[in-house]
Amino acid sequence: MARRALITGITGQDGAYLAQFLLDKGYEVHGMVRRASTENFERIAHLRDRLVLHQADLLDQLSIITLISEVRPHELYNLAAQSFVPTSWLQPLLTSEFTALGVTRVLEAIRLVDPSIRFFQASSSEMFGDAREEPQNERTPFWPRSPYGVAKAYGHWITVNYRESYGIFACSGIMFNHESPLRGKEFVTRKITDAVARIKLGRQEKLKLGNLDARRDWGFAGDFVRAMWLMLQQDKPDDYVVATGRQHTVREFCQLAFSYVGLHWEDYVEIDRALFRPAEVNRLRGDATKARTVLGWEPTVTFEQLVRMMVDADLERVQAELAQEVAAGGS
Ligand code: NDP
Ligand code: GDR
């Protein structure tokens, strides 16, 4: 019989990659979606008829209990969250409800319905924040710098606590930034590659950015969902840093993306002070030695390949939009 997986946040970047990965492994894949007046299933449109989607919400305890009772998954991946750091200053309470307390609601539902369900929590390098050491590993202390980072630290520790209190097979993946052509356009990498494509094709003139000196450890989302799955296949539950170990500035990302299409980034990028954060995370770089040795996990996509992949996908998408406009204008 096929193994059953339930993914919260299936409509997000990671949800789409994880759903594809698990389907390829022969899983029966269920996804939790929240009700909206307009469906936003673009990222999973190509998988739609192979998935079973259920309405529930991280804010609603009973909906999560009912969902888990109905699906009875073997594995549950909790990817749903308010995941955009700047929004966490504008909506700190909602961010805590989704990103912190939401984790407890899912864990309580597992405890109540079936404590043998294996649980993955999407934790974040933002928990390291103003990092006490570099590179960061599983023992590096947390110093989060945003309401989002604080909420993720809660989610991490409640995952550890339900493992220790109730023996639940609960794992926390401390994931560094990971990107793809499916990344939301408000995150800096996709904001840049979308702008590069639009500028190249004459649809945009300038790109406004904030802090170009911020350093991140950027990997490919497709590699990161493999690490999530590997964590739930081990004999014992544990926590793992997932990262490439390489660090670049936002400026370097710009340089590479613009030069790939033959443009010079300084001709287009403008600094907007409004995009600077009240408290910045200046530099992050992960040490994934444990994931490499215990899980046998390795990233397969380099930073340079990632930038090119994202620019290529955005060029193709903007070109298709232009072609559609021309066709519509001509009909
Ligand atoms: P996205 O922002 O792309 O996706 C977030 C998902 O959460 C969406 O499916 C969204 O649904 C869903 N969601 C939000 N609030 C609720 C709610 N109240 N009830 C149900 N579903 C909800 O994030 P990513 O795919 O990039 O990230 C996945 C997870 O990994 C997140 O928890 C994120 O914080 C974490 N993470 C991500 C990293 C990264 O670099 N990408 C790094 C480290 C951690 P909807 O479509 O309806 O908005
Ligand atoms: P981050 O990702 O905050 O690391 O969180 P983001 O891409 O938003 O920012 C990365 C860095 O770029 C700087 N920056 C800008 N950022 C945005 N969004 N827009 C800009 O115009 C801009 N200019 C400069 C930021 O200041 C920051 O230093 C992501 C999310 O996916 C989280 O959910 C996840 O937990 C972490 O990665 C790991």
Side-chain angles (χ1 to χ4, degrees):
M1 220 181 58
R3 283 183 72 74
R4 265 187 316 283
L6 173 60
I7 304 174
T8 75
I10 196 165
T11 54
Q13 169 189 259
D14 289 8
Y17 278 97
L18 181 63
Q20 177 79 66
F21 177 87
L22 294 173
L23 286 170
D24 290 347
K25 289 232 167 276
Y27 277 71
E28 181 182 307
V29 180
H30 296 254
M32 174 177 124
V33 294
R34 52 179 170 165
R35 199 254 158 198
S37 63
T38 313
E39 278 188 357
N40 64 338
F41 298 165
E42 299 88 20
R43 292 188 178 104
I44 48 171
H46 57 300
L47 308 172
R48 187 65 188 81
D49 53 4
R50 298 167 67 199
L51 302 171
V52 191
L53 301 182
H54 309 258
Q55 261 183 29
D57 198 299
L58 281 182
L59 295 181
D60 190 312
Q61 178 74 70
L62 189 57
S63 74
I64 303 171
I65 295 171
T66 307
L67 170 62
I68 296 179
S69 309
E70 277 172 17
V71 175
R72 294 302 292 263
H74 301 100
E75 297 170 13
L76 195 160
Y77 296 85
N78 186 38
L79 310 185
Q82 191 302 94
S83 75
F84 190 47
V85 172
T87 296
S88 77
W89 278 285
L90 299 173
Q91 301 177 354
L93 294 175
L94 195 61
T95 300
S96 312
E97 283 287 350
F98 288 4
T99 306
L101 290 180
V103 188
T104 310
R105 293 193 188 97
V106 177
L107 284 164
E108 275 290 275
I110 288 179
R111 190 171 73 81
L112 198 73
V113 176
D114 177 3
S116 75
I117 294 169
R118 294 188 169 206
F119 175 79
F120 171 82
Q121 167 60 14
S123 294
S124 166
S125 52
E126 282 293 298
M127 301 187 302
F128 297 124
D130 189 5
R132 308 284 101 179
E133 62 183 0
E134 190 172 310
Q136 297 86 41
N137 63 34
E138 293 79 6
R139 293 172 306 285
T140 304
F142 297 155
W143 196 285
R145 296 268 284 170
S146 63
Y148 168 82
V150 174
K152 279 289 176 187
Y154 174 96
H156 169 82
W157 284 117
I158 202 72
T159 300
V160 174
N161 183 258
Y162 271 54
R163 181 168 77 221
E164 294 178 352
S165 301
Y166 304 114
I168 291 174
F169 195 110
C171 300
S172 171
I174 305 173
M175 301 186 291
F176 283 63
N177 299 54
H178 46 280
E179 320 292 313
S180 75
L182 298 185
R183 185 61 140 152
K185 281 188 199 164
E186 69 273 42
F187 299 94
V188 77
T189 55
R190 184 76 200 290
K191 184 174 173 182
I192 295 169
T193 62
D194 177 60
V196 163
R198 294 172 61 78
I199 289 170
K200 179 72 183 171
L201 296 170
R203 306 301 318 260
Q204 186 172 326
E205 289 181 356
K206 294 286 178 194
L207 167 61
K208 287 188 176 175
L209 291 175
N211 178 14
L212 300 184
D213 294 318
R215 293 170 180 270
R216 289 291 183 278
D217 178 335
W218 279 295
F220 171 54
D223 283 334
F224 280 57
V225 302
R226 194 171 64 255
M228 298 175 188
W229 176 78
L230 282 168
M231 285 178 217
L232 298 198
Q233 311 314 310
Q234 305 304 306
D235 293 336
K236 283 195 303 217
D238 209 340
D239 309 319
Y240 299 87
V241 160
V242 189
T244 72
R246 289 182 64 202
Q247 186 188 60
H248 298 273
T249 58
V250 173
R251 183 179 290 100
E252 284 167 341
F253 195 106
C254 278
Q255 259 160 1
L256 209 57
F258 277 93
S259 68
Y260 181 51
V261 298
L263 299 176
H264 191 51
W265 71 280
E266 282 170 305
D267 295 337
Y268 304 96
V269 172
E270 288 176 354
I271 302 302
D272 181 350
R273 299 299 303 181
L275 292 168
F276 281 65
R277 299 177 179 185
E280 176 64 292
V281 171
N282 291 313
R283 44 192 305 143
L284 289 173
R285 183 162 69 89
D287 172 3
T289 306
K290 184 173 169 187
R292 285 172 194 265
T293 50
V294 179
L295 305 177
W297 178 82
E298 287 288 337
T300 65
V301 177
T302 66
F303 178 68
E304 292 73 15
Q305 288 169 331
L306 177 67
V307 174
R308 290 197 292 266
M309 176 203 300
M310 292 176 70
V311 173
D312 280 337
D314 277 321
L315 279 171
E316 203 176 304
R317 186 183 47 80
V318 177
Q319 260 156 357
E321 281 169 16
L322 285 172
Q324 255 183 358
E325 279 174 27
V326 171
S331 63

